[in-house]
């Protein structure tokens, strides 16, 4: 057994880090990111959205990647806070602070109305027009190659 660990230690280490990271990403993806009370991962997500919008408007790819990386650090701190609160007995489970039923703003059905038929048919690229546009594009391409 020890010989196997000595031979495959790097693969075991790489697999362990990959598995932990994938579980972390799955937890973040499954948790709610929109809540009126700003609980759980919501502040991290809003901060990331703001920074990604800011850096992408400046065409700063390193800033965008840094904002995404910083949001995952924030997600990890929320998870760590959950474990800490669970350890001292302030919540029932370690994930109670980021797995919850979110409170969202819902428009009551009596105040909303369905889309009008006119709006649903207001497609600028109907099927016939799509074919015309595609055919004219193909004709232009054929003229350029000739």
């Amino acid at each position: 057994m020890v010989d196997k660990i000595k031979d495959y230690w790097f693969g075991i280490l790489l697999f362990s880090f990959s598995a932990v990271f994938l579980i972390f990403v799955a937890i973040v993806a499954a948790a709610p990111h929109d809540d009126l009370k700003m609980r759980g991962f919501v502040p991290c997500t809003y901060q990331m959205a703001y920074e990604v919008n800011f850096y992408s408007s400046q065409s700063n790819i390193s800033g965008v990647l840094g904002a995404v990386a910083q949001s995952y650090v924030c997600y990890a701190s929320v998870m760590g806070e959950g474990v800490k609160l669970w350890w001292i007995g302030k919540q029932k489970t370690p994930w109670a602070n980021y797995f919850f039923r979110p409170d969202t703003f819902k428009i009551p059905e009596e105040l909303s109305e369905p889309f009008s038929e006119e709006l649903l048919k207001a497609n600028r690229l109907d099927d016939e027009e799509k074919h015309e546009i595609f055919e004219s594009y193909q004709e232009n391409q054929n003229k350029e190659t000739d």
Side-chain angles (χ1 to χ4, degrees), residues 106-122:
K106 301 256 185 198
I107 297 175
E109 285 190 32
E110 61 269 4
L111 295 179
S112 67
E113 60 184 49
F115 291 116
S116 68
E117 193 68 29
E118 194 174 277
L119 182 62
L120 292 173
K121 290 184 177 180

Side-chain angles (χ1 to χ4, degrees), residues 10-26:
F10 186 72
I12 293 169
L13 184 68
L14 191 61
F15 174 77
S16 300
F17 281 134
S18 300
V20 167
F21 180 74
L22 289 175
I23 291 169
F24 176 73
V25 169

Side-chain angles (χ1 to χ4, degrees), residues 4-123:
K4 293 281 187 189
I5 292 174
K6 283 169 63 176
D7 290 341
Y8 298 110
W9 69 270
F10 186 72
I12 293 169
L13 184 68
L14 191 61
F15 174 77
S16 300
F17 281 134
S18 300
V20 167
F21 180 74
L22 289 175
I23 291 169
F24 176 73
V25 169
I27 289 171
V28 170
H33 291 267
D34 187 23
D35 184 49
L36 290 175
K37 297 178 183 175
M38 297 295 282
R39 299 175 290 172
F41 297 141
V42 177
C44 303
T45 303
Y46 276 59
Q47 183 65 30
M48 178 188 64
Y50 172 78
E51 290 178 3
V52 165
N53 184 30
F54 176 76
Y55 289 123
S56 64
S57 68
Q58 297 179 349
S59 298
N60 182 353
I61 191 70
S62 63
V64 169
L65 294 175
V68 171
Q70 183 62 35
S71 72
Y72 275 91
V73 170
C74 183
Y75 295 150
S77 69
V78 169
M79 289 177 160
E81 182 70 21
V83 170
K84 186 174 104 178
L85 291 173
W86 171 71
W87 188 261
I88 61 176
K90 289 191 176 183
Q91 63 187 31
K92 291 182 182 180
T93 61
W95 53 84
N97 65 327
Y98 53 88
F99 276 130
F100 52 84
R101 184 172 307 277
D103 295 331
T104 57
F105 180 73
K106 301 256 185 198
I107 297 175
E109 285 190 32
E110 61 269 4
L111 295 179
S112 67
E113 60 184 49
F115 291 116
S116 68
E117 193 68 29
E118 194 174 277
L119 182 62
L120 292 173
K121 290 184 177 180
N123 184 0

